[in-house]
């Protein structure tokens, strides 16, 4: 794939090792990368902890230290946390004698001398002794954060004692609030089977290169964070051997620049949103609210006639068109002329949020696919096999069709009998339909038929009704502003949505929030 300025390659552990070997040519380069990794992990883990509560001054950290560079990264992360939280208490568990650590890990340990408590375990310890030790070390409070620096990309199965016993004990130990793995959860790696023993991480902090096992769908890697160490400072447009990539913060750079002075509302696109039904007016409302916050110049919303006035009062920034509805309160195909007579104003169109699944909305969606000559986003109940049929007939010049299914909707349009998380199915589907698919879930993937880009921001705070409707509005808004660079627009909408969700969770937690609060954090995300 071409190196995009906003997505970095995802590689197998072996490919990552080879690349690191070519980039980090001596011990000083390795040490400097390790320092960056340690600082990056410390910063990210503190941000992530805030989804639980504010970080306590007397932070209690447990770090599991293996012999290699993974252990070195974890030790330097502990050093950074001690610098930032001088009252923190750090307990280290070493799985080998200190004099057996690799040179850089030994150097990192030396830097912590006198500031941490060290326990060493050996093969003879066994699971129950290690479990008992955790209980004693944790005391009444337990640990706020456990940093797993046991094994990284160089791990070759099988796991041996005492590491396997330590992983098992950590997985079972309830006195840890957040489990953070350095690079990969210990036990994960190339060729590792899904049922193998792997440390159950809440977050994995991929240092330098995001490795493929993080996306294997095992659910043990938790949420993936990419700690960019600058390994991919390649020229945009250059080709690298990777079909998979991870989205980076750079995707939002164009939205963080000053806008030119000589612009007006027409310079930032005009988005049409067709959606809603008497039963689900809220879905349309959420998409429209998100769209008007996306930076798009103009939004026109087409809503079922019985709810238009109520919705319009809630988002006066949008223009509202009342659409005739069926006896079931869904959009009637007889309203198509309303959109067609204005279509030359639109730079992108969304169809689907809150549609409801009946024959009328199916027909509306089909007509839109056939007649709309600009980029088009289909979501929710517009995602049907019969609606995708005319997609292939569309001329390339009209702009791409973007689909935003969750797994249930993807199964429907790809005619799958059970969920399939493999990239092959996603690639085949997107290629054969000529669409950009955004397959939503805990690890959302963007696929253009040739490559897959992972998006890992957001988190469980998004696991509530309406998150997808907000996403649709944001992506639609970006498409309308950026009509000739659909994939970039999609990536911008996704990333902005994910970062805002994280901000929301860091301020209010993951539980007692409502979906549209996410919109309050969009501007903070763009102004950092
Ligand atoms: N008020 C209404 O009218 C409602 C209508 N609904 C109908 O459903 C669709 C849209 O569904 P929505 O609830 O927005 O959810 P989606 O599944 O499409 O999108 C979810 C969104 O959240 C992300 N996400 C979820 N879990 C995680 C996680 N663990 N980690 C990270 N990210 C996560 C996911 O990736 C998506 O981005 C609407 O049009 C109506 O037709 C709904 O039933 C809600 C209320």
């Amino acid at each position: 794939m071409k190196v995009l300025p906003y997505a970095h390659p995802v590689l197998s552990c072996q490919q990552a090792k080879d690349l690191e070997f070519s980039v980090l040519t001596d011990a000083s380069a390795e040490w400097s990368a390790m320092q960056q990794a340690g600082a990056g992990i410390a910063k990210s883990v503190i941000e992530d902890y805030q989804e639980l509560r504010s970080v306590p001054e007397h932070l209690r950290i447990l770090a599991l230290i293996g012999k290699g560079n993974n252990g070195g990264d974890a030790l330097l992360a502990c050093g950074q946390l001690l610098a930032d939280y001088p009252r923190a208490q750090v307990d280290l568990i070493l799985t080998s004698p200190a004099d057996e650590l690799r040179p850089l890990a030994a150097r990192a340990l030396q830097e912590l001398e006198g500031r941490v408590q060290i326990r060493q375990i050996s093969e003879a310890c066994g699971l129950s002794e290690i479990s008992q030790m955790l209980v004693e070390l944790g005391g009444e409070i337990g640990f706020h954060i456990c940093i797993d620096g046991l094994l990284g990309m160089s791990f070759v199965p099988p796991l041996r004692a005492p590491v396997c016993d330590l992983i098992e004990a950590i997985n079972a130990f309830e006195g840890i609030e957040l489990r953070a793995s350095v690079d990969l959860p210990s036990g994960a790696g190339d060729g590792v089977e899904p049922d193998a023993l792997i440390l159950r991480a809440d977050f994995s902090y991929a240092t330098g290169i995001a490795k493929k096992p993080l996306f294997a769908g095992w659910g043990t890697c938790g949420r993936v964070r990419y700690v960019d160490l600058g390994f991919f400072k390649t020229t945009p447009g250059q080709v690298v051997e990777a079909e998979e990539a991870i989205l980076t913060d750079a995707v939002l750079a164009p939205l963080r620049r000053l806008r030119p002075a000589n612009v007006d509302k027409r310079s930032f696109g005009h988005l049409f949103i067709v959606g809603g039904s008497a039963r689900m007016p809220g879905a349309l409302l959420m998409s429209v609210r998100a769209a008007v916050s996306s930076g798009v110049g103009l939004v026109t919303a087409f809503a079922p006639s019985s709810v238009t006035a109520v919705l319009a009062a809630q988002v006066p920034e949008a223009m509202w068109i009342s659409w005739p509805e069926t006896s079931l309160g869904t959009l009637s195909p007889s309203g198509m002329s309303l959109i067609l007579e204005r279509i030359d104003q639109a730079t992108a169109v969304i169809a689907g949020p809150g549609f409801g699944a009946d024959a009328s909305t199916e027909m509306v969606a089909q007509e839109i696919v056939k007649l709309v000559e600009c980029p088009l986003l289909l979501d929710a109940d517009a995602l049907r096999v019969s609606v995708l049929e005319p997609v292939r007939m569309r001329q390339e010049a009209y702009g791409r069709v973007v689909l935003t299914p969750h797994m249930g909707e993807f199964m429907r349009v790809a005619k799958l009998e059970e969920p399939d998380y493999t990239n092959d199915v996603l690639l085949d589907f997107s290629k054969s339909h000529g669409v950009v698919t955004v397959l939503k879930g805990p690890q959302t993937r963007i696929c253009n038929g040739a490559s897959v880009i992972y998006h890992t921001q957001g988190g469980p705070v998004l696991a509530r009704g309406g998150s997808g409707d907000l996403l649709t509005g944001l992506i639609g808004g970006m498409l309308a502003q950026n009509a000739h660079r659909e994939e970039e627009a999609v990536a911008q909408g996704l990333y902005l949505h994910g970062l805002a969700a994280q901000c929301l969770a860091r301020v209010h937690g993951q539980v007692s929030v409502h979906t549209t609060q996410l919109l309050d954090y969009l501007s903070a995300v763009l102004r950092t």
Side-chain angles (χ1 to χ4, degrees):
M1 72 187 288
K2 281 189 178 166
V3 176
L4 297 166
Y6 56 82
H8 287 178
V10 169
L11 303 177
S12 69
C13 293
Q14 187 54 53
Q15 289 170 318
K17 273 171 73 174
D18 295 345
L19 190 132
E20 275 202 15
F21 185 72
S22 68
V23 178
L24 304 175
T25 46
D26 56 26
S28 110
E30 263 194 275
W31 178 246
S32 141
M34 196 177 267
Q35 284 177 309
Q36 266 190 74
I41 294 164
K43 178 173 178 280
S44 296
V45 83
I46 287 300
E47 286 169 355
D48 290 327
Y49 183 85
Q50 290 168 44
E51 294 202 11
L52 282 168
R53 64 187 64 80
S54 307
V55 181
E57 224 182 297
H58 293 91
L59 191 60
R60 296 213 55 201
I61 299 160
L62 173 68
L64 318 175
I65 307 301
K67 285 185 197 178
N69 287 351
N70 206 252
D73 289 347
L75 289 164
L76 291 178
C78 290
Q80 184 66 51
L81 288 169
L82 280 168
D84 296 340
Y85 295 87
R87 292 177 183 212
Q89 183 185 320
V90 176
D91 286 285
L92 304 182
I93 298 181
L94 267 56
T95 52
S96 58
D99 59 9
E100 287 182 16
L101 295 191
R102 295 237 311 257
L104 295 183
R107 181 172 169 187
L109 182 62
Q110 236 170 22
E111 294 206 344
L112 289 178
E113 216 175 278
R115 295 155 51 197
V116 294
Q117 303 185 52
I118 305 178
R119 295 278 181 109
Q120 191 225 309
I121 56 169
S122 68
E123 218 178 304
C125 287
L127 179 59
S128 64
E129 194 180 320
I130 296 174
S131 304
Q132 184 55 34
M133 185 180 81
L134 290 179
V135 173
E136 279 165 24
L137 280 177
E140 272 180 29
I141 301 173
F143 296 99
H144 299 109
I145 297 170
C146 168
I147 303 180
D148 157 31
L150 292 172
L151 299 164
M153 64 178 171
S154 301
F155 166 60
V156 181
L159 281 172
R160 293 190 191 86
V163 174
C164 53
D165 294 321
L166 180 56
I167 292 177
E168 224 172 315
I170 291 287
N171 284 352
F173 184 49
E174 288 180 0
I176 295 171
E177 287 191 313
L178 185 157
R179 290 167 170 77
S181 284
V182 173
D183 207 24
L184 285 167
S186 292
D190 288 351
V192 169
E193 296 295 327
D195 56 354
L197 174 64
I198 295 169
L199 192 135
R200 298 197 72 83
D202 295 300
F203 291 89
S204 292
Y205 299 89
T207 49
I209 301 160
K211 285 87 187 171
K212 282 189 183 177
L214 292 169
F215 305 98
W218 299 322
T220 56
C221 300
R223 290 158 70 184
V224 176
R225 298 291 189 229
Y226 173 51
V227 182
D228 184 2
L229 303 180
F231 292 170
F232 295 106
K233 282 194 182 128
T234 37
T235 326
Q238 191 178 327
V239 175
V240 289
E241 292 303 318
E243 301 81 41
E244 298 167 35
I246 184 166
L247 210 50
T248 73
D249 195 66
V251 75
L252 296 182
L255 302 171
R256 291 178 170 137
R257 295 189 193 119
L258 277 181
R259 287 178 162 187
N262 57 339
V263 290
D264 69 14
K265 60 194 172 193
R266 282 160 299 210
S267 315
F268 298 104
H270 189 162
L271 177 66
F272 282 14
I273 310 184
V274 187
S277 53
R279 198 171 67 83
M280 293 192 284
L284 172 63
L285 182 60
M286 286 188 273
S287 292
V288 173
R289 285 189 60 192
V292 297
S293 301
S294 71
V296 70
L298 292 162
V299 176
T300 295
F302 299 81
S305 53
S306 64
V307 295
T308 312
V310 175
L311 297 183
Q314 297 187 59
V315 192
E317 296 88 344
M319 291 166 277
W320 291 84
I321 311 278
S322 176
W323 187 298
E325 56 184 68
T326 64
S327 57
L328 296 172
T330 54
L331 300 178
S332 157
S334 64
M336 269 311 289
S337 57
L338 292 168
I339 180 169
L340 296 178
E341 66 206 20
R342 299 170 172 81
I343 197 63
D344 54 340
Q345 299 167 22
T347 55
V349 173
I350 291 174
F355 253 15
D358 69 359
S360 303
T361 53
E362 186 167 2
M363 210 179 291
V364 169
Q366 282 171 337
E367 291 294 290
I368 288 177
V369 171
K370 283 183 203 152
L371 301 170
V372 162
E373 298 180 2
C374 61
L376 179 59
L377 188 162
L378 300 175
D379 185 32
D381 286 318
L383 292 166
R384 302 201 223 158
V385 171
S386 65
V387 175
L388 294 197
E389 273 156 18
V391 167
R392 286 196 204 90
M393 315 297 200
R394 281 171 58 94
Q395 292 183 26
E396 224 170 275
Y398 296 170
R400 306 292 295 269
V401 174
V402 176
L403 312 181
T404 53
H406 54 59
M407 184 48 83
E409 290 158 347
F410 184 64
M411 284 166 62
R412 185 167 73 212
V413 289
K415 300 182 192 159
L416 303 176
E417 279 174 11
E418 50 190 50
D420 189 318
Y421 295 91
T422 60
N423 284 341
D424 288 348
V425 170
L426 180 59
L427 282 159
D428 273 0
F429 171 83
S430 308
K431 190 173 177 191
S432 64
H433 287 82
V435 295
V436 176
T437 311
V438 178
L439 182 49
K440 297 181 296 191
Q443 282 179 344
T444 293
R445 287 172 283 165
I446 310 173
C447 180
N448 60 5
S451 60
V452 171
I453 300 180
Y454 297 102
H455 164 63
T456 59
Q457 310 295 323
V461 72
L462 287 174
R464 46 180 29 91
S467 306
D469 295 317
L470 296 180
L471 177 66
T472 294
L474 287 174
I475 295 181
M478 298 304 167
L479 275 173
Q481 291 173 72
N482 214 349
H484 302 294
R485 296 176 34 189
E486 294 96 336
E487 286 168 47
E488 184 174 340
V490 165
Q492 284 173 336
L494 263 176
Y495 209 84
L496 183 57
H497 180 258
L499 286 195
Q502 276 162 204
C503 271
L504 167 63
R506 285 171 194 167
V507 178
H508 293 288
Q510 301 179 336
V511 181
S512 280
V513 294
H514 51 98
T515 314
T516 50
Q517 270 178 284
L518 182 152
L519 299 175
D520 300 338
Y521 295 89
L522 295 172
S523 108
V525 164
L526 290 177
R527 289 164 61 78
T528 52

